[in-house]
Amino acid sequence: MTYEDIRYEIDGPAAVITINRPERYNAFRGRTVEELIKAFRAAWADRQVQAVILTGAGDKAFCTGGDVKQRAETGDYGPTESGMFEIGYLHKLIRDIPKPVIAAVNGVAVGGGHVLHVLCDVSLASETARFGQAGPKVGSFDAGFGTAYLARVVGEKKAREIWFWCRMYDAGEALRMGLVNAVVPPAELLPTALAWAREVAEKSPTALRFLKQSFNADTDHQAGLSNLAMSALDLFTASPEGLEGARAFAEKRKPDFNAHVNWH
């Protein structure tokens, strides 16, 4: 398998999947999502792989979500082999793969990139990592796992703060709110993630599979909310309000949403 937007490497018992678009702060387009799906499926099928590490290229960004510049330019996230933008399926795949998924957050995790790390089983953060949501600032949202599951992780009050105010939080704040499992110096991030992968690889894979499925069972109903949210997002991003958010981001100006206030 050849990849353009990601790197896929095997290191001992770990599959290391790296979003490789540093020039776009590792934002994902349709092709990126498609390649991530192929990589996670390859890791699922590989009997040598006992854990998956998801990270970003460079030291600035883990992932900044959907490529808003691409959306501003073309109105979508670009072409794919399937003809679909399958971010919802990627979310489900991260949850369903019967192996622990470790997020190694090397920089900014914002928007849809923040959702990706939240969905991983555990998150390790570089001291330089920063976390937050940006949807309401750029004419987007994730009303599925990105909100409902986040509330299970950090609590309702904090999850609402994260989404409504679109603030950024440093690694120390993320650790205190239970958003990440550990914080390490930048140079130690990937070695630490690999050490966690080697440690979990010593455990019973069948026990781990059942445990992951048991944890997921409590929140699997949120997949229905996620499907509804993705359908709504498709409509919203093509609306004048959604397009204003994307254009303002691309033009590096504040969006003007005043014309779209409607509480009726």
Side-chain angles (χ1 to χ4, degrees), residues 33 37 85-93 145 226-227 230:
V33 171
I37 288 169
F85 181 58
E86 298 187 88
I87 189 64
Y89 180 69
L90 175 61
H91 290 174
K92 190 172 188 301
L93 189 54
F145 284 119
S226 184
N227 290 338
M230 292 301 171

Side-chain angles (χ1 to χ4, degrees), residues 23-261:
E23 74 285 354
R24 290 288 180 105
Y25 291 90
N26 296 323
F28 52 73
R29 56 180 176 170
R31 182 187 181 99
T32 320
V33 171
E34 203 158 55
E35 291 184 3
L36 286 169
I37 288 169
K38 289 179 180 178
F40 270 97
R41 289 174 63 85
W44 187 328
D46 190 338
R47 295 176 64 87
Q48 176 185 338
V49 172
Q50 300 298 316
V52 180
I53 297 169
L54 179 63
T55 192
D59 58 5
K60 292 183 178 179
F62 168 75
C63 177
T64 53
D67 192 335
V68 181
K69 287 186 178 179
Q70 170 87 41
R71 183 158 66 90
E73 292 164 2
T74 65
D76 59 21
Y77 289 109
T80 61
E81 289 181 12
S82 67
M84 297 184 290
F85 181 58
E86 298 187 88
I87 189 64
Y89 180 69
L90 175 61
H91 290 174
K92 190 172 188 301
L93 189 54
I94 291 171
R95 286 171 57 85
D96 286 351
I97 183 173
K99 305 173 182 184
V101 180
I102 303 165
V105 185
N106 53 301
V108 174
V110 68
H114 188 263
V115 174
L116 289 182
H117 105 82
V118 168
L119 285 171
C120 293
D121 295 296
V122 297
S123 293
L124 308 178
S126 162
E127 291 171 343
T128 59
R130 297 175 69 227
F131 303 82
Q133 276 303 336
K137 292 171 66 175
V138 298
S140 183
F141 58 81
D142 185 332
F145 284 119
T147 48
Y149 184 64
L150 177 65
R152 294 292 185 98
V153 175
V154 300
E156 283 277 352
K157 294 285 187 180
K158 200 66 180 180
R160 291 172 191 244
E161 175 191 317
I162 289 170
W163 271 101
F164 292 173
W165 276 268
C166 297
R167 294 169 177 161
M168 297 299 293
Y169 305 85
D170 64 26
E173 291 172 306
L175 183 62
R176 287 190 291 275
M177 72 174 83
L179 189 60
V180 302
N181 299 81
V183 178
V184 299
E188 295 178 18
L189 180 62
L190 190 55
T192 300
L194 289 167
W196 279 51
R198 288 192 296 271
E199 184 178 353
V200 81
E202 298 172 355
K203 311 301 188 294
S204 161
T206 302
L208 293 175
R209 182 177 79 244
F210 277 108
L211 285 167
K212 182 162 181 174
Q213 291 170 347
S214 178
F215 282 122
N216 286 348
D218 184 50
T219 52
D220 267 351
H221 67 281
Q222 292 176 358
L225 298 175
S226 184
N227 290 338
L228 284 170
M230 292 301 171
S231 295
L233 187 59
D234 285 343
L235 297 175
F236 177 66
T237 54
S239 71
E241 185 174 355
L243 291 172
E244 165 60 14
R247 288 171 182 151
F249 178 85
E251 295 167 7
K252 297 182 179 180
R253 61 174 173 82
K254 287 187 177 182
D256 181 5
F257 293 127
N258 289 331
H260 307 289
V261 175

